[in-house]
Amino acid sequence: MTTHIEIYGKQLVQLFNELEVATTSSESIWILVFTLILVTGVTMGVSVIVWLERKVSAGVQQRTGPEYAGPLGITQSLADGIKLLLKEGIIPSKGDAWLFTTGPVVVVTPVLVSYLVIPFDQNIVLSDLGIGAFSWVAASSVVPLGLLIAGYASNNKYSFLGGLRAAAQSISYEIPLALCILSASLLSGSLSTVDIVKTQAKYGFFGWNLWRQPTGFIAFFISSLAECERLPFDLPEAEEELVAGYQTEYSGIKFGLSYVGSHSNLLASSLFVTILYLGGWDSPIPFFENLGQFFPFPNYSGESFDVFGPGVGIITTLSKSHLFIFISILTRWTLPRVRIDQLLDLGWKFPLPIASGNLLLTASFELLLIR
């Protein structure tokens, strides 16, 4: 007589067979290579964002910013990273050592996972999931949990308060984010990030969701800033009021990982703004889209292929995303920080009603068009 354990074991084996898990060594090697390229690219993107933020903030405040570490100070971020790697990591004597180490890892890992569904070009995406747009919301919702773990494990009231604020802030602004993504996906008929960009590219520059969903773009912009904990919504780590919040007891590379997670999440959110509202790899200048047709390169079989197309798509996507990052940096140095009650009041009374009304209107128009 078969037991329940044997039945569940057979079902588990059948499930793995249906998922077609990579068993060959070559597939595993390619998976590791692509993962390494992704992590390297995100790390370089974070260093560029840190340098850009320092230079733009210096220009806003009429300063020069970093200029001695390399040309225009471009290696200052690398020097800071090496410094954090060499510094000693201190764990509070009365804190939880295992949770204290796990917190920064939980902050960084979900953000890196969200890059799997980001298309830099039509064929340059690691995983074109059917729910790719919602996977970013699901992954970013885990980040405040890591901040809460870090604050609790520090055995510090200021740190724990910063973690609680991160959890409250995330709950307040994730709902408008999901509603804005639903509105954009309704116009495309799919939650796939690739399909959303393709739908916008059919109609050119004026087919971008920025013109079709202006209120949704505003709500998404505000919610994404709050989700990334950028000023004026950086309540979890407000240095002046909370003594750096959840980072109070951290040092060394653990302290640096929290900033890596914050800046990589900003880069991911800017890429999703580009995908959902700015047409992704679709260039507003037709000349750059047809650049490969003017300079065709033959391959080994004698057929010509477009070598400039993917490059132009990647440059277009990164240019749009860095424009959003530039606006985020200007917002940081323009608006004052809000209080926690103002933050929650704004989240529940402004982006949420706007996103809900926008979703209702979008669904109504789609139903009318179908009929």
Side-chain angles (χ1 to χ4, degrees), residues 278-290:
L278 301 180
W281 63 80
D282 181 41
S283 176
I285 304 175
F287 172 76
F288 292 106
E289 293 183 350
N290 303 323

Side-chain angles (χ1 to χ4, degrees), residues 75 110 115 134 159 186 201 221 254 257 307 316 326 363:
T75 59
Y115 282 88
F134 266 126
S159 302
L186 278 176
F221 175 75
K254 297 186 183 69
L257 282 177
V307 70
T316 303
F326 178 73

Side-chain angles (χ1 to χ4, degrees), residues 97-110 142-143 145-151 153 250 254 257-258:
W98 187 82
L99 289 178
F100 190 81
T101 306
T102 305
V105 178
V106 176
V107 171
V108 175
T109 304
V142 183
V143 175
L145 179 61
L147 303 181
L148 184 60
I149 292 174
Y250 278 91
K254 297 186 183 69
L257 282 177
S258 61

Side-chain angles (χ1 to χ4, degrees), residues 195-216:
D195 293 340
I196 292 174
V197 177
K198 285 182 178 179
T199 304
Q200 299 176 69
K202 289 180 181 178
Y203 309 102
F205 174 70
F206 293 101
W208 293 358
N209 289 335
L210 173 64
W211 316 116
R212 305 163 71 187
Q213 295 274 321
T215 55

Side-chain angles (χ1 to χ4, degrees), residues 178-328:
L179 294 177
C180 293
I181 291 175
L182 272 178
S183 301
S185 63
L186 278 176
L187 295 176
S188 305
S190 174
L191 281 170
S192 170
T193 52
V194 176
D195 293 340
I196 292 174
V197 177
K198 285 182 178 179
T199 304
Q200 299 176 69
K202 289 180 181 178
Y203 309 102
F205 174 70
F206 293 101
W208 293 358
N209 289 335
L210 173 64
W211 316 116
R212 305 163 71 187
Q213 295 274 321
T215 55
F217 173 76
I218 295 174
F220 191 92
F221 175 75
I222 296 174
S223 300
S224 62
L225 286 181
E227 187 70 19
C228 297
E229 297 164 9
R230 299 282 302 177
L231 266 166
F233 306 112
D234 65 334
L235 272 301
E237 59 168 355
E239 293 89 352
E240 291 82 357
E241 294 87 354
L242 300 181
V243 200
Y246 54 86
Q247 303 172 350
T248 304
E249 302 295 339
Y250 278 91
S251 63
I253 190 59
K254 297 186 183 69
F255 179 81
L257 282 177
S258 61
Y259 279 98
V260 171
S262 174
H263 286 86
S264 58
N265 198 11
L266 175 63
L267 179 59
S269 65
S270 64
L271 287 169
F272 270 96
V273 168
T274 302
I275 292 166
L276 295 173
Y277 294 98
L278 301 180
W281 63 80
D282 181 41
S283 176
I285 304 175
F287 172 76
F288 292 106
E289 293 183 350
N290 303 323
L291 189 62
Q293 298 178 5
F294 297 104
F295 304 98
F297 285 81
N299 57 12
Y300 63 90
S301 61
E303 299 177 355
S304 61
F305 66 97
D306 187 2
V307 70
F308 288 104
V312 171
I314 294 174
I315 292 174
T316 303
T317 303
L318 293 179
S319 300
K320 293 176 182 178
S321 62
H322 279 77
L323 175 62
F324 177 80
I325 292 173
F326 178 73
I327 296 174
S328 302

